[in-house]
Amino acid sequence: MPEKPQILQRQTVAQSRLFRAEQLDLRFSNGVERRYEKLCSGGPGAVLIVPMLDANTVLMVREYAGGLEDYHLSLPKGAMDRGETPEQSANRELKEEVGYGAGQLDYLKCVHLSPSYMEHKIHVLLARELYPEQLAGDEPEPLEVVPCDIKDLLALSMRDDVIEGRTIAALFLARAWLEQHG
């Protein structure tokens, strides 16, 4: 494994309500110096939940995405509150966005969105043994819950309204985990 670069200087170059950009001046072990910019994490991370209503039905949500300026179908997700475990956060977000709690939560993986220039990470959890329970959420409008068949995952992933990479990755992780662990 290569030696990590030395951080010569770090400074915030931009900040908004949601984002902070940082500039890093680095020196690599071979003496080459470079300036990197990255988007910094504002908290403990986020969770992405794969809620299984039954062995073949995954509950997805249709929501508006500002980056797309359109609606898309994705898995429920949200920021972790300080002091929450990924499991606590996942169960809260599930209740807020889908109207179910989970009797069983299995931690699958922590993934990073774009590690070349972002600190942001998201914990992927599989939710099973769902039971109805609703919590008030922070979405500007009610989310449409859409039951989808996970058996033909390729067809589900190829839908025009399923376009978020982390949702697609989480669905494949969940299906593989379920095939091994039932």
Side-chain angles (χ1 to χ4, degrees), residues 75-160:
L75 292 170
K77 61 193 155 302
M80 293 175 59
D81 291 339
R82 293 205 186 278
E84 276 185 327
T85 66
E87 291 79 7
Q88 291 167 330
S89 182
N91 216 18
R92 176 183 50 75
E93 287 291 340
L94 191 60
K95 292 172 185 178
E96 291 174 2
E97 295 190 5
V98 183
Y100 283 92
Q104 177 69 40
L105 284 163
D106 296 294
Y107 187 93
L108 299 181
K109 185 171 180 69
C110 179
V111 297
H112 291 260
L113 306 182
S114 292
S116 293
Y117 66 92
M118 292 175 70
E119 284 182 349
H120 297 52
K121 64 184 177 185
I122 193 159
H123 302 277
V124 180
L125 293 100
L126 177 66
R128 298 180 292 159
E129 300 174 18
L130 302 184
Y131 56 89
E133 185 174 341
Q134 182 78 45
L135 288 177
D138 58 0
E139 285 71 32
E141 63 183 359
L143 300 180
E144 177 188 357
V145 177
V146 180
C148 295
D149 192 341
I150 200 170
K151 283 185 295 189
D152 190 354
L153 188 49
L154 183 58
L156 175 58
S157 298
M158 295 300 287
R159 286 177 52 153
D160 288 341

